[in-house]
Amino acid sequence: MIIFNRLTFCNFLSVGNQPVSVNLNGSKTTLIHGTNGSGKSTILDALTYSLFGKSFRGVNLSQLINTQNKKGLLVECEFNIGKTEYLVRRGMKPKLFEVYRNKE
């Protein structure tokens, strides 16, 4: 079973240089709620981009980069499968794709 721990992203869609970190393992279940335009879908897009290199909503990759900064997109996803820890880092401008297993 996959247990997601944390999702961190910056310069992703409407999020700027200041990284946003979402703790996903504070309890057995996680509920994400908010008003329209508050970033719920952005969280799903960031998670999907980090794992699969594409947007959840089908947004073109070039449109995922924050339009103000136009560089430095970075998404990090930390999760466990059993006792094995994973960290996936994916970014654009500069292009980046790294996968760490148990910090290696």
Side-chain angles (χ1 to χ4, degrees):
M1 174 168 48
I2 297 176
I3 298 175
F4 291 99
N5 298 318
R6 181 179 327 257
L7 180 67
T8 304
F9 48 97
C10 64
N11 291 315
F12 188 85
L13 293 172
S14 62
V15 175
N17 264 338
Q18 188 66 33
V20 171
S21 189
V22 180
N23 183 9
L24 298 170
N25 68 348
S27 62
K28 281 187 155 187
T29 59
T30 301
L31 173 66
I32 299 171
H33 67 93
T35 59
N36 290 344
S38 63
K40 302 177 301 293
S41 295
T42 299
I43 292 171
L44 285 174
D45 280 329
L47 180 62
T48 304
Y49 174 72
S50 70
L51 297 176
F52 305 109
K54 60 183 181 177
S55 159
F56 175 75
R57 294 179 283 180
V59 175
N60 291 332
L61 289 180
S62 62
Q63 294 175 317
L64 293 178
I65 300 174
N66 179 279
T67 57
Q68 297 297 314
N69 299 322
K70 300 180 183 170
K71 64 178 180 178
L73 182 152
L74 178 64
V75 180
E76 296 181 343
C77 181
E78 301 172 30
F79 60 93
N80 290 14
I81 299 177
K83 293 184 180 183
T84 306
E85 298 176 1
Y86 292 91
L87 168 64
V88 177
R89 299 178 76 218
R90 191 182 296 262
M92 282 191 278
K93 292 190 178 184
K95 190 167 180 114
L96 173 71
F97 180 61
E98 300 173 340
V99 179
Y100 297 93
R101 182 177 178 217
N102 294 325
K103 300 182 182 177
E104 293 182 10

